[in-house]
Amino acid sequence: MEISLKNQVAIITGSSSGIGAAIAKSMAESGASVVINYPSENSKDKAAVILKEIIDSGGTGMLCQCDVSKEEEVINMFKEVTANYGTVDILVNNAGIQVDSPFTEMTMSAWNAVIGVNLTGQFLCAREAIKEFLKRGINPSRSVACGKIIHISSVHEIIPWAGHANYASSKGAIRMLMQTLAQEYGADRIRVNSICPGAIQTPINKNAWETKQELDSLLKLIPYNRIGQPQDIGNLAVFLASDLADYITGASIFIDGGMTTFESFSTGG
Ligand code: NAD
């Protein structure tokens, strides 16, 4: 069985590092042309390194600067990509940030920053992607679906997280956004799903795995007893975007080493 994304164009937001970079590499390996999105000049060099790795391994792609929380910039990203590749087949809404604090100390700017990138950014990109999918229609030489959207959510779309009210709220809301879009555009053959990672070793959660003590404490939450790797998510994203997953829409798929089995109940409760 071959998983192929040949002839397809995939935008992966926030793909200059971590999970997004792994998804971009995996999708490129499966034949897609990938758009490496980064938010500002500061992350341009990192994005260029990822694109070079992809091209050196025989893949194709382009860079695109866009802050996903800004409407104008998102509209321009889709214009730039469609001008270059003709259309877009796959959107991976991956860009995300954390700005943590105890709830009573949470500032408006911390709240707005996280909701702006993690939720509004996913809304804006999904809206532009669906407009493009509907304009193009189904083209069986690309995919049996008209388009695919993968939201990168989190186990925190169902696990409350003290000290991270903005982040957990953004991920909980992504579930409803994803399911509503799957319902609204199912008849158009647009598939919309979420990947909900547990603890994946990336810069966003460095403080949870940097020292042996922190890692040991994290592993107590993971029945499978290892931290996840970005490649674990890349593998799932390729499957979910491919026609092998054609009957999957409106689903949150947890990929967490069993974290959502609530390991602490193995000895208590
Ligand atoms: P990361 O910090 O490596 O990646 C986040 C990416 O988002 C970066 O490349 C960053 O440049 C980009 N970004 C930030 N603001 C942006 C903006 N305004 N516009 C465009 N891009 C922007 O961390 P990661 O772990 O790879 O996170 C990727 C996604 O996975 C996030 O949505 C995160 O919430 C989610 N997630 C991560 C974990 C984990 O354990 N690492 C677990 C669950 C969910």
Side-chain angles (χ1 to χ4, degrees):
M1 193 188 308
E2 193 206 353
I3 302 189
S4 169
L5 301 179
K6 258 200 294 209
N7 302 327
Q8 299 191 58
V9 178
I11 295 180
I12 302 101
T13 67
S15 43
S16 61
S17 70
I19 290 172
I23 293 175
K25 287 184 201 170
S26 302
M27 289 193 165
E29 229 176 272
S30 307
S33 298
V34 293
V35 178
I36 309 297
N37 158 251
Y38 59 96
S40 65
E41 274 298 308
N42 291 343
S43 39
K44 186 174 184 178
D45 290 350
K46 274 163 56 187
V49 169
I50 303 300
L51 181 60
K52 184 173 183 317
E53 282 175 29
I54 287 170
I55 289 170
D56 288 350
S57 320
T60 54
M62 63 180 273
L63 297 178
C64 190
Q65 182 178 331
C66 158
D67 176 340
V68 296
S69 68
K70 305 210 166 109
E71 185 172 24
E72 278 285 306
E73 294 192 24
V74 172
I75 291 170
N76 284 338
M77 172 166 72
F78 277 80
K79 276 193 192 143
E80 213 179 299
V81 173
T82 50
N84 196 31
Y85 286 127
T87 188
V88 176
D89 303 273
I90 299 161
L91 166 68
V92 184
N93 258 332
N94 167 77
I97 55 170
Q98 279 181 228
V99 186
D100 309 327
S101 80
F103 185 64
T104 51
E105 290 161 30
M106 191 168 283
T107 61
M108 271 301 283
S109 80
W111 176 265
N112 285 337
V114 172
I115 298 298
V117 177
N118 297 15
L119 182 58
T120 308
Q122 296 215 5
F123 150 67
L124 290 171
C125 292
R127 189 187 66 188
E128 295 312 301
I130 291 174
K131 282 195 221 161
E132 174 56 29
F133 298 162
L134 294 174
K135 197 165 99 191
R136 168 177 36 76
I138 298 172
N139 178 343
S141 71
R142 309 172 80 90
S143 170
V144 295
C146 181
K148 283 86 54 149
I149 295 179
I150 299 173
H151 296 277
I152 303 300
S153 178
S154 164
V155 289
H156 295 296
E157 83 167 39
I158 59 163
I159 303 179
W161 204 14
H164 307 76
N166 46 3
Y167 184 85
S169 302
S170 72
K171 297 299 186 181
I174 285 170
R175 183 187 184 89
M176 266 302 138
L177 175 64
M178 176 278 288
Q179 289 188 310
T180 301
L181 298 182
Q183 194 189 68
E184 199 164 333
Y185 293 101
D188 297 296
R189 289 278 193 275
I190 294 172
R191 294 195 296 109
V192 189
N193 294 289
S194 289
I195 291 179
C196 304
I200 311 297
Q201 196 163 16
T202 73
I204 209 173
N205 57 359
K206 220 154 107 195
N207 61 354
W209 51 260
E210 239 176 347
T211 67
K212 181 173 173 347
Q213 197 186 10
E214 283 152 356
L215 183 61
D216 285 346
S217 151
L218 176 66
L219 291 179
K220 289 199 187 103
L221 302 173
I222 307 171
Y224 206 60
N225 210 33
R226 75 164 169 89
I227 188 166
Q229 294 304 318
Q231 185 64 55
D232 292 314
I233 310 299
N235 297 342
L236 175 57
V238 166
F239 168 71
L240 208 44
S242 78
D243 284 349
L244 292 182
D246 189 55
Y247 206 48
I248 304 179
T249 194
S252 285
I253 301 179
F254 289 82
I255 170 161
D256 61 0
M259 189 181 259
T260 40
T261 66
F262 300 101
E263 168 137 59
S264 50
F265 274 83
S266 64
T267 54

